[in-house]
Amino acid sequence: MLTPATETEAAEIIRDHAERAVPLEIRGGGTRAGFGNAVQAAATLSSSGLSGILTYNPAEMVMTARAGTSVAEIEAALDANGQAMAFEPPDHRPVMGTAGEPTIGGIFAVNASGPRRITAGAARDSLLGVRFVNGHGEIVKAGGRVMKNVTGLDLVKLMAGSHGTLGLLTEVTFKVLPRPKTAATIVLSGLDDEAATHAMAAAMALPVEVSGAAHLPESVRSRFLSGGLPEGPATVLRVEGLEASVAVRVEKLAAAMQRFAPATCLGPEESVLLWREIRDVKPYADGTMRPLWRVSVAPSQGEKLVAALRLATGVDAFYDWQGGLVWMRMEADPEAEILRRYVRALGGGHATLMRASGAVRASVASFEPQEPAVALLSQRVKAKFDPVGILNPGRMTTGESA
């Protein structure tokens, strides 16, 4: 494991490997080890040695930190000032069966976004600026500390979700927001997947600022809150903000939702725990390597996808992002061909294999195969950033050489 202590040292390492055409696996804290296509590399280069918060002015609501800074350190500093990362970065250690510490660079490198994404945007939407080392061993800076400075903004967005294939992130600048003072969750009990989809759509259309909408079928419902949710499938709707405002909005939401199902309300502590468990995919943190998919489709199509798959194979699932994010665990085979065919038939989306055995990963593409035109563009971008092809080769695209 190569763990440079400075950006310059990281650049020297990459430059040396580029000159010798020796591949490197790029890694943050290693908490998502095994995610993505397998990388054949001579060594692993980790950003974990590049640690520390560089600047943070709570009044500006902007933070700059080295990429290897632990998410725990970031969240502790924000929490002390009543602030938070709006996109609720998930902790994938339980579901991936990994250890280590999640890093802020790793969060942005994979664009990891939690339940509030439907209103606050994804991780990349909070990213203002980056510093990284490309495949030439050059240090590159893009973006700035304020949103109005759009210099290099496209490059910033490009790095978010690139999974270390374009460069090693060394520093990130991102915006933060005030942490909600309180939260409450309306639970609608007894709805099937189709009815829940309609209820979530109706809730999101109301002027009550729902910040989370998920559906937990009976197969997973008991795995949340240690079985503390009411009996029957649970459709959960979160409201956050100032205490007085939340009370009024929850009352309006509950009244509007009565036409769908009986409604109960969870208080702040239960709400925080429930949405953390949804964020971290708790039902499938089962200690197994059964194939786990993260499927993004139109919110109206999620339940249709699951219904179709259940006629063809063994599958368990629950829904986040108003039904647009489906966490799907297969009982045996990954069924990638069937799954992706159904996704295309329902208007398109992305099916990403998050977890599987080594044998499955060797035969199944982890990321949604790209259309030819998009694949060609991706290859050209990769060639500009990493012409020798040493940075996480093949991580996102099988057969990737440049």
Side-chain angles (χ1 to χ4, degrees):
M1 178 79 72
L2 302 172
T3 54
T6 67
E7 185 180 65
T8 300
E9 185 182 347
E12 291 172 352
I13 291 172
I14 292 177
R15 191 178 310 118
D16 172 64
H17 282 72
E19 290 172 352
R20 295 184 291 120
V22 177
L24 282 168
E25 180 178 4
I26 303 301
R27 180 179 294 186
T31 62
R32 294 174 183 83
F35 176 41
N37 303 317
V39 172
Q40 298 299 322
T44 298
L45 176 61
S46 172
S47 65
S48 59
L50 305 172
S51 181
I53 296 171
L54 298 175
T55 61
Y56 172 42
N57 185 337
E60 293 180 351
M61 293 193 292
V62 174
M63 177 181 284
T64 298
R66 294 188 177 93
T69 310
S70 72
V71 173
E73 181 179 345
I74 299 287
E75 290 181 333
L78 294 175
D79 189 65
N81 290 279
Q83 296 179 341
M85 290 179 279
F87 55 91
E88 292 181 281
D91 182 352
H92 285 138
R93 285 176 294 183
V95 79
M96 296 296 293
T98 55
E101 282 292 326
T103 64
I104 191 63
I107 291 294
F108 286 113
V110 302
N111 193 34
S113 311
R116 209 180 287 119
R117 185 198 187 286
I118 55 174
T119 55
R124 65 163 54 93
D125 297 309
S126 292
L127 193 59
L128 302 177
V130 295
R131 289 177 66 97
F132 65 96
V133 181
N134 65 17
H136 297 274
E138 300 169 334
I139 297 171
V140 181
K141 178 185 177 183
R145 285 180 53 79
V146 292
M147 286 298 289
K148 65 182 180 181
N149 181 354
V150 298
T151 303
L153 188 60
D154 289 345
L155 185 55
V156 172
K157 294 292 191 287
L158 187 63
M159 291 302 295
S162 62
H163 292 260
T165 60
L166 302 180
L168 172 74
L169 281 172
T170 58
E171 185 180 303
V172 292
T173 298
F174 52 98
K175 65 177 180 178
V176 300
L177 291 176
R179 186 181 67 249
K181 295 295 185 182
T182 192
T185 300
I186 291 294
V187 182
L188 307 178
S189 301
L191 298 179
D192 61 25
D193 293 7
E194 182 179 6
T197 298
H198 293 305
M200 288 188 289
M204 295 302 298
L206 292 171
V208 295
E209 300 178 28
V210 172
S211 67
H215 178 60
L216 317 175
E218 183 61 21
S219 62
V220 300
R221 187 264 312 164
S222 64
R223 301 173 206 167
F224 291 97
L225 295 183
S226 301
L229 288 170
E231 291 295 322
T235 307
V236 292
L237 307 166
R238 180 177 62 184
V239 176
E240 299 175 297
L242 297 174
E243 188 171 347
S245 172
V246 167
V248 172
R249 287 184 285 136
V250 162
E251 184 177 352
K252 291 181 179 179
L253 178 61
M257 291 294 103
Q258 287 291 345
R259 65 188 177 97
F260 290 100
T264 55
C265 185
L266 303 179
E269 292 185 4
E270 286 182 308
S271 290
V272 168
L273 178 57
L274 173 63
W275 288 97
R276 183 184 301 130
E277 292 178 344
I278 292 171
R279 180 198 74 181
D280 296 343
V281 202
K282 186 176 186 294
Y284 304 139
D286 52 13
T288 75
M289 281 290 108
R290 279 188 283 183
L292 178 66
W293 291 92
R294 178 185 181 276
V295 185
S296 178
V297 293
S300 61
Q301 302 302 310
E303 60 87 12
K304 296 176 184 177
L305 173 64
V306 173
L309 280 168
R310 282 177 172 155
L311 296 176
T313 188
V315 58
D316 193 25
F318 74 93
Y319 310 82
D320 197 359
W321 298 359
Q322 194 197 322
L325 174 61
V326 187
W327 286 103
M328 188 180 299
R329 188 190 64 192
M330 314 307 275
E331 295 307 312
D333 297 329
E335 306 290 5
E337 183 179 346
I338 296 174
L339 170 58
R340 286 173 168 151
R341 185 171 71 245
Y342 285 167
V343 168
R344 290 192 297 270
L346 291 170
H350 302 277
T352 304
L353 183 62
M354 288 289 295
R355 181 188 73 192
S357 67
V360 168
R361 288 200 174 280
S363 61
V364 176
S366 294
F367 294 92
E368 188 75 26
Q370 296 176 332
E371 295 295 328
V374 176
L376 179 59
L377 179 60
S378 296
Q379 290 169 9
R380 289 176 177 173
V381 170
K382 173 71 171 172
K384 290 292 185 182
F385 283 80
D386 182 24
V388 185
I390 66 164
L391 304 178
N392 274 354
R395 171 68 78 202
M396 299 189 73
T397 307
T398 53
E400 173 186 87
S401 60

